[in-house]
Amino acid sequence: MTLLYSDVEEELRAAVRALLADRCPPSAMAARAGEEPLYDAGVWKALACDIGVAGLLVPEELGGAGASPREAAVVLEELGRGVAPVPFLTSSVMATKALLAAGTDAATELLGPLAEGRTTAALAVSFAASPYAAAPDTVTASPRAAARDTVTAEDGTLTGRVTAVAGAEAADVFLVPASGALYAAEATGVQPSVSLDVTRPVAVVTFDAAAATLVAPDLGPLRAALELGAGLLASEQLGVAEWCLATTVGYVTERRQFARPVGSFQAIKHRLADLWLAIVQARAAARNAADAAATGADTATAAAVAQAWCGTVAVRAAEECLQLHGGIGMTWEHPLHLFLKRAKAGEIALGTPGDHRDALTGAAGLPAPA
């Protein structure tokens, strides 16, 4: 196991970073923040087809790059650093993982177009769904959501709806948990919902007697996809935190007060040093989760550790960035609010930090606090 980045990973990072800097910098995102939709099909096409990120996790014999979750994690770090509005996590990581884990002919047929970037997929579950949910027929964020978000399968069709689905606006096909199995279907309706994170909108997805194809006879592939998504989401949160720290250090170095840079005051130095230490630990946790997913070594524990730590660190970094930028951090024109919203939304996605800590205590056999 190594937490260091390989030369190939650094080359991939450089390509993604250069494309995002040219086509989708945070300042441009802030300028478009009031527009609908924010999803950028042009940037996604360039990432998916020109760089080939859409097929990173797909084996070469199926038309993909045959890379590992480590490379996908590097892409997510850069997407987090740019709050890029593209469906890489939902389609190229989570939906692709579900299809790979299913391993059926129906699943394999969907992987080729996904790898080429010709189609995009999404899981028809709430983005707040926890990998540890015990509901048998669907995977939801809570018992209340389970009663609300129900899709049933009957005679090869799906009927029902799911709320708070991420990546829905770009999805050509949905992977839908219904009646204890996993189906592939096109939605009959996608209604955008109010989302805290405008760079990753969510929607209500409706199926009204929609024709469906059985992808897997159980929900094992779906849970594997949620677990991988949670583990690699930590890398995106790492990218958010690193952008916030770097931007803050740059600002307090230039901003002057009492004839000296603001960053020269000891109180500011200590805050940023503490934040740097937290981010270094987050990088270790995120890289460990990606490496575990690549090697198959105790992936559940590594993902839980990463999510229990990285989500909180990303929020803390964004909040420190906001405070230390003073007034300009509060303006709509500055892109900082996009990072804070991405961090806040990501913290409760795919299980809260508390869900992941509970999973860790359960795995370790530790009793819950009285």
Side-chain angles (χ1 to χ4, degrees):
M1 180 186 76
T2 176
L3 303 185
L4 302 178
Y5 298 98
S6 68
D7 292 341
V8 172
E9 290 167 353
E10 291 294 1
E11 290 175 5
L12 177 61
R13 177 198 305 282
V16 174
R17 183 178 294 187
L19 187 146
L20 293 177
D22 180 52
R23 302 280 298 273
C24 187
S27 57
M29 293 297 305
R32 295 177 48 207
E35 300 177 7
E36 295 290 346
L38 205 57
Y39 164 65
D40 196 322
V43 172
W44 174 239
K45 182 179 179 181
L47 283 168
C49 301
D50 298 346
I51 299 181
V53 302
L56 271 184
L57 297 180
V58 179
E60 293 183 19
E61 59 270 25
L62 298 178
S68 76
R70 288 177 57 99
E71 285 77 21
V74 170
V75 174
L76 283 166
E77 286 182 27
E78 295 309 309
L79 297 180
R81 204 184 310 276
V83 285
V86 295
F88 178 75
L89 176 65
T90 53
S91 178
S92 304
V93 174
M94 295 170 64
T96 297
K97 176 62 179 179
L99 293 172
L100 290 171
T104 60
D105 290 343
T108 303
E109 288 181 4
L110 293 172
L111 283 171
L114 282 181
E116 295 172 1
R118 289 190 285 117
T119 62
T120 305
L123 301 181
V125 298
S126 166
F127 197 47
S130 166
Y132 316 110
D137 290 342
T138 186
V139 179
T140 58
S142 65
R144 181 178 178 183
R148 181 189 59 207
D149 300 341
T150 301
V151 180
T152 57
E154 184 176 2
D155 298 331
T157 64
L158 300 180
T159 300
R161 70 163 195 161
V162 185
T163 59
V165 177
E169 78 287 351
D172 301 296
V173 61
F174 290 89
L175 302 180
V176 190
S179 303
L182 187 64
Y183 293 84
E186 295 182 12
T188 53
V190 175
Q191 180 64 42
S193 303
V194 176
S195 174
L196 172 63
D197 179 8
V198 295
T199 62
R200 179 176 283 145
V202 295
V204 178
V205 179
T206 305
F207 302 94
D208 185 8
T213 302
L214 180 65
V215 170
D218 56 44
L219 296 181
L222 179 63
R223 297 186 191 282
L226 292 174
E227 183 180 282
L228 179 64
L232 296 193
L233 178 62
S235 292
E236 182 186 282
Q237 292 163 331
L238 172 63
V240 169
E242 289 185 334
W243 183 92
C244 291
L245 177 61
T247 303
T248 305
V249 170
Y251 177 75
V252 299
T253 302
E254 295 181 359
R255 177 80 166 86
R256 300 180 69 84
Q257 188 66 272
F258 305 116
R260 53 189 289 196
V262 171
S264 66
F265 292 102
Q266 193 171 42
I268 303 298
K269 289 181 180 178
H270 284 183
R271 287 175 67 167
L272 292 175
D274 288 344
L275 182 59
W276 180 83
L277 285 172
I279 292 175
V280 168
Q281 296 170 57
R283 183 182 302 115
R287 291 300 294 166
N288 182 57
D291 189 75
T295 60
D298 201 2
T299 56
T301 299
V305 169
Q307 269 302 301
W309 181 253
C310 294
T312 303
V313 169
V315 171
R316 178 185 166 190
E319 290 177 342
E320 286 283 49
C321 187
L322 182 71
Q323 290 292 325
L324 295 178
H325 270 75
I328 67 169
M330 298 294 291
T331 62
W332 188 257
E333 291 77 9
H334 197 284
L336 173 53
H337 68 94
L338 298 175
F339 288 85
L340 178 60
K341 292 168 183 172
R342 174 68 70 93
K344 286 280 190 182
E347 188 181 31
I348 59 172
L350 303 175
T352 65
D355 291 334
H356 294 287
R357 284 192 289 269
D358 287 344
L360 284 173
T361 58
L366 297 175

